[in-house]
Amino acid sequence: MLTIKEKQELNVQKALSFRGIIEESELESIKRDMDSVIINNNISARGEFITVTYGIEGEKLDMELIIPIDSDVDVTAEGYRIRDDVRIENAVVASYQGSPDTFTDVFMELNRYITDNNLEPATAGYNVFRGSVYNEIEGCMDICVDVYLGVAN
């Protein structure tokens, strides 16, 4: 299931961020490292996990992983930092619930919507993972993701 809305906002006040050139196989390890930073510094995650892909070259992804947190922490590891603000003020949001296998179709639909409505992308897509739910019809887990794409006014 996919719904698309305009004039939406993404606003995260404080977040632990990792950005680097990585392979897809490294995502889980980086996410575990981020979870360890949160636990070891006695802070809490306070929102949904967010990913942003800025570019792809062969097997390498220029990617940012973002976890909203409840307080500041000193981060010294390479690629990690604290972002005080993650904000997209004028976004088109594609809300998806379905199989992880067909998630890439969301981007084709979002691009079609942007083209059909003469909108101009202003940001990369921010994938906000809201979790997963059991799909009784298919007998499997569906993912729930909101894809935020900022557009020019």
Side-chain angles (χ1 to χ4, degrees):
M1 180 173 75
L2 178 68
T3 59
I4 298 177
K5 296 180 183 176
E6 290 186 43
K7 298 184 182 353
Q8 302 299 300
E9 182 175 307
L10 175 65
N11 186 9
V12 175
Q13 294 299 314
K14 185 148 322 274
L16 174 62
S17 167
F18 170 86
R19 182 166 179 186
I21 307 296
I22 62 171
E23 292 184 11
E24 189 173 350
S25 62
E26 297 175 89
L27 283 172
E28 285 300 317
S29 174
I30 294 167
K31 174 70 167 74
R32 281 193 303 274
D33 289 347
M34 293 176 81
D35 289 340
S36 293
V37 168
I38 289 169
I39 292 167
N40 293 339
N41 286 282
N42 200 29
I43 59 176
S44 298
R46 61 170 183 84
E48 290 89 358
F49 181 61
I50 302 168
T51 65
V52 186
T53 302
Y54 296 102
I56 300 171
E57 190 167 320
E59 298 293 315
K60 298 286 189 175
L61 306 170
D62 178 358
M63 191 163 206
E64 183 175 17
L65 288 74
I66 302 167
I67 300 176
I69 56 176
D70 65 352
S71 60
D72 272 330
V73 62
D74 287 327
V75 181
T76 57
E78 185 177 339
Y80 290 88
R81 70 182 179 119
I82 298 299
R83 290 187 59 175
D84 291 326
D85 192 33
V86 178
R87 180 186 307 262
I88 302 176
E89 293 184 342
N90 185 29
V92 174
V93 178
S95 296
Y96 174 76
Q97 179 178 326
S99 168
D101 297 335
T102 58
F103 177 60
T104 55
D105 294 347
V106 171
F107 300 101
M108 289 185 293
E109 290 298 321
L110 189 55
N111 282 333
R112 183 176 299 123
Y113 182 90
I114 287 169
T115 300
D116 291 349
N117 290 280
N118 299 315
L119 300 172
E120 183 179 335
T123 70
Y126 284 65
N127 305 315
V128 180
F129 291 86
R130 294 181 285 116
S132 58
V133 295
Y134 185 72
N135 181 330
E136 291 183 19
I137 296 169
E138 300 291 326
C140 63
M141 294 302 287
D142 283 349
I143 59 170
C144 302
V145 183
D146 292 335
V147 179
Y148 286 77
L149 182 66
V151 293
N153 289 330

